[in-house]
Amino acid sequence: MNIDSMKVAIRPMSTAQALDLGMAMARHWFVPLWQIWLGMALPIYVLFYLGGMLLNINFGVAMGAFGGLVFWWLKPIYEKPMIAWLGQALFTEPPPIKHTIKSGWRSAKSYGFILLFKKRLSLQRQLMLPILMLEKPSKAQFKMRLSILARGQGGGLSWHTIVLVNIETILSIAAVILLWQLIPTGMVKTDTLFTILEYQTLWLELAWGALYFLAASIVAPFFVASGFAVYLTKRCLLEGWDVELVFKQLRGRYQASQASPLAELQESGGLGHLNNLDGVQNNTQSQISSASNTAEGQ
């Protein structure tokens, strides 16, 4: 990582401050992160959830709920390319969205056992993703690295995950209620939404699945960027990035101060006068040498 070109002012922070920085990063880069998540998650959603609902309609096989569970379980696969894109956008230039999505699909199997089985229900998943994607550690290195970076975080990361899960659920429920309020009363046979929920009609299941997908896509950039910010601030604290940057700034100021007198002389024409004096001195010396040679000849 070239910390000189970092586009965010990273310094040692508390977990709450780092999470707040991550939320700001997610707001700044929300559109590309959202597009990457859609490019990874939409095919899985269509294949498993909508495909399961199609089996339910045609063959009476209740696969819709199972497809929704598979879609939810594979969330870490959608989040990995977002970390890769953030890493490049923060230190260099952001890569193309299509290229990031293609790379995400090619590397979908990497670290699959850790993310989908061993650590799938961990409340610190947003911190594990940068470690795996940027450092690419071995199994033993990953365990040690996660222990070091998670040390001193308290319950900040866990509570952040719980809050975002609740926000995701609240957005889904609020969207269903809003949709219900917008439906004309003449188009429904029941008076309350709870009656429709009791019957679990097909259109309601499809609407609930689509609205949950939309809510998850909105929350995902904030979840990923917040974990990435915590990862960066923790590395800054452990490796002294802020101290290194200060020394580099001091070195740059010293070099600029040494170069400034010569630049001022050049701008004022002082170097030209010095060159003229050198020329006069050389001519004088040559004339003295000629005179002494003539005297010796006589």
Side-chain angles (χ1 to χ4, degrees):
M1 293 183 180
N2 185 11
I3 61 176
D4 295 335
S5 60
M6 193 181 303
K7 299 177 183 177
V8 176
I10 295 295
R11 58 179 176 81
M13 303 178 184
S14 64
T15 303
Q17 291 174 326
L19 292 173
D20 186 61
L21 174 63
M23 300 295 276
M25 291 167 56
R27 291 195 301 269
H28 180 72
W29 285 310
F30 178 81
V31 174
L33 292 175
W34 186 69
Q35 291 175 342
I36 293 170
W37 194 91
L38 285 181
M40 297 296 297
L42 187 59
I44 302 297
Y45 175 79
V46 172
L47 177 63
F48 286 96
Y49 183 73
L50 296 184
M53 294 300 297
L54 185 63
L55 290 175
N56 190 9
I57 295 171
N58 294 333
F59 304 102
V61 181
M63 295 293 293
F66 176 76
L69 178 62
V70 171
F71 166 77
W72 172 82
W73 192 264
L74 294 178
K75 268 188 174 184
I77 303 299
Y78 323 145
E79 297 162 353
K80 288 197 302 179
M82 299 167 71
I83 290 290
W85 188 92
L86 272 175
Q88 295 188 49
L90 191 62
F91 292 95
T92 57
E93 292 297 326
I97 303 298
K98 292 183 179 180
H99 175 74
T100 304
I101 295 173
K102 291 180 180 178
S103 300
W105 281 113
R106 285 196 296 265
S107 61
K109 295 181 180 180
S110 61
Y111 303 108
F113 179 76
I114 295 176
L115 293 174
L116 297 179
F117 298 98
K118 188 175 181 180
K119 297 286 187 179
R120 175 60 183 88
L121 300 179
S122 173
L123 296 178
Q124 296 181 341
R125 190 175 82 241
Q126 68 268 51
L127 182 60
M128 294 188 297
L129 288 168
I131 298 174
L132 294 173
M133 296 304 298
L134 301 180
E135 300 183 16
K136 302 185 184 304
S138 62
K139 184 178 179 180
Q141 291 173 340
F142 169 72
K143 185 177 180 180
M144 181 180 63
R145 193 65 174 160
L146 180 62
S147 175
I148 293 173
L149 293 178
R151 191 179 303 159
Q153 300 294 343
L157 282 174
S158 300
W159 279 110
H160 181 259
T161 302
I162 293 172
V163 168
L164 289 183
V165 169
N166 281 276
I167 290 176
E168 194 176 89
T169 305
I170 290 171
L171 286 176
S172 304
I173 296 174
V176 170
I177 296 174
L178 177 62
L179 182 63
W180 166 257
Q181 295 295 328
L182 294 176
I183 297 176
T185 55
M187 295 181 61
V188 292
K189 299 179 181 180
T190 58
D191 296 330
T192 63
L193 177 62
F194 296 101
T195 306
I196 295 181
L197 292 175
E198 183 179 357
Y199 287 107
Q200 294 185 354
T201 57
L202 177 62
W203 70 268
L204 182 62
E205 290 187 18
L206 292 174
W208 170 257
L211 293 174
Y212 173 75
F213 177 86
L214 181 61
S217 70
I218 294 173
V219 173
F222 296 96
F223 175 79
V224 172
S226 297
F228 187 57
V230 172
Y231 167 80
L232 290 177
T233 54
K234 191 66 175 181
R235 283 196 61 177
C236 177
L237 176 63
L238 294 174
E239 301 175 18
W241 287 359
D242 53 334
V243 178
E244 183 179 349
L245 286 174
V246 169
F247 276 112
K248 287 184 177 181
Q249 291 173 359
L250 290 175
R251 184 182 64 182
R253 292 175 185 175
Y254 174 76
Q255 292 175 349
S257 66
Q258 295 298 311
S260 58
L262 294 177
E264 291 177 359
L265 283 174
Q266 187 174 7
E267 291 177 359
S268 61
L271 291 179
H273 293 304
L274 291 176
N275 292 331
N276 292 332
L277 290 176
D278 291 338
V280 171
Q281 185 178 5
N282 292 332
N283 291 332
T284 303
Q285 290 178 352
S286 63
Q287 290 175 2
I288 293 172
S289 298
S290 299
S292 62
N293 292 332
T294 303
E296 290 175 358
Q298 292 177 354

